Amino acid sequence: YAPNVNQDNGTCSVLVVYGCTGPDHCNYNPEANTDDGSCIYPQEGYDCNGNITAEIGDIIQGGMLFYIDETGQHGLVASLENLESGLSGYNGGSFNGYEWGCYGPGVNGADGQSIGTGYQNTMDIVNQGCTPEYGYITAAQAALDAEINGYSDWYLPSFDELVEMYNTIGNEGPEGNIGGFDNNLYWSSSENDIYSAWYVSFYNGNINWLQKDILAQVRVIRAF
């Protein structure tokens, strides 16, 4: 920060105050009369205090915003598309899907259902190290492997995170299915028992468990 100096303009001495002169910047100095190039804009989607200004359904942080936590400074986004590298045509299906995991034994962990537990669930499933019945990778592994819009920290949503997606950017959302979900079953990362895990139908909101070796679709999320 340059010191204030007096400059002679030929008639009187003028006090020069260096600083950010842009009123829409975070470090605006209303006393400055000479900009010193130090102006800072808030991060996209935030105000200068770190609060999220984006709204549910906005595209930020690599995906579509579907949840803002109680602090107003953190949230969850969903990828804009399903993961499409899974198995196709299994059991008469016309979509690409993934098995949840091994059809027994149970996972040590992966029992979180609330918002904020999806990442740990995903890690628990992958750390089990099993090979699915039909030989492809699990839904959880596919989520961890995803690199989307410059981010590589995606994971499989927990049960409550998946329900939140359906209720905000899926068919139950105030603007309808702005997330572009298929009318199909989507895996959560929450285990039910050693043979099944929880899913949400993005057709009608039905919530139930499904055998782990059945194919369902995957929409990954990330926290910020």
Side-chain angles (χ1 to χ4, degrees), residues 46-89:
Y46 291 85
D47 64 18
C48 291
N49 295 318
N51 298 308
I52 297 172
T53 58
E55 298 179 347
I56 299 300
D58 287 350
I59 307 300
I60 64 169
Q61 297 284 329
M64 181 174 289
L65 182 65
F66 71 92
Y67 173 77
I68 301 172
D69 75 4
E70 60 185 11
T71 72
Q73 298 183 339
H74 303 283
L76 298 172
V77 297
S79 61
L80 302 182
E81 297 179 344
N82 302 331
L83 296 188
E84 294 289 356
S85 60
L87 295 168
S88 179

Side-chain angles (χ1 to χ4, degrees), residues 121-221:
N121 287 345
T122 303
M123 294 302 300
D124 292 340
I125 299 165
V126 171
N127 289 337
Q128 184 188 29
C130 74
T131 301
E133 183 75 16
Y134 297 97
Y136 199 60
I137 60 176
T138 63
Q141 185 65 64
L144 287 186
D145 289 348
E147 293 188 14
I148 303 169
N149 293 334
Y151 294 94
S152 58
D153 56 351
W154 302 93
Y155 55 92
L156 194 63
S158 70
F159 174 75
D160 285 353
E161 289 164 344
L162 193 60
V163 170
E164 184 75 10
M165 272 198 284
Y166 179 77
N167 288 335
T168 55
I169 61 174
N171 280 332
E172 196 63 25
E175 298 180 59
N177 184 20
I178 59 175
F181 297 93
D182 292 341
N183 291 328
N184 217 322
L185 309 184
Y186 283 81
W187 278 126
S188 81
S189 58
S190 304
E191 186 179 54
N192 177 49
D193 58 29
I194 66 172
Y195 302 115
S196 63
W198 292 97
Y199 75 84
V200 174
S201 167
F202 273 68
Y203 171 65
N204 58 12
N206 183 53
I207 297 168
N208 211 328
W209 54 264
L210 191 66
Q211 288 185 190
K212 295 176 181 178
D213 59 346
I214 300 296
L215 298 189
Q217 293 186 295
V218 170
R219 185 67 69 95
V220 295
I221 69 172

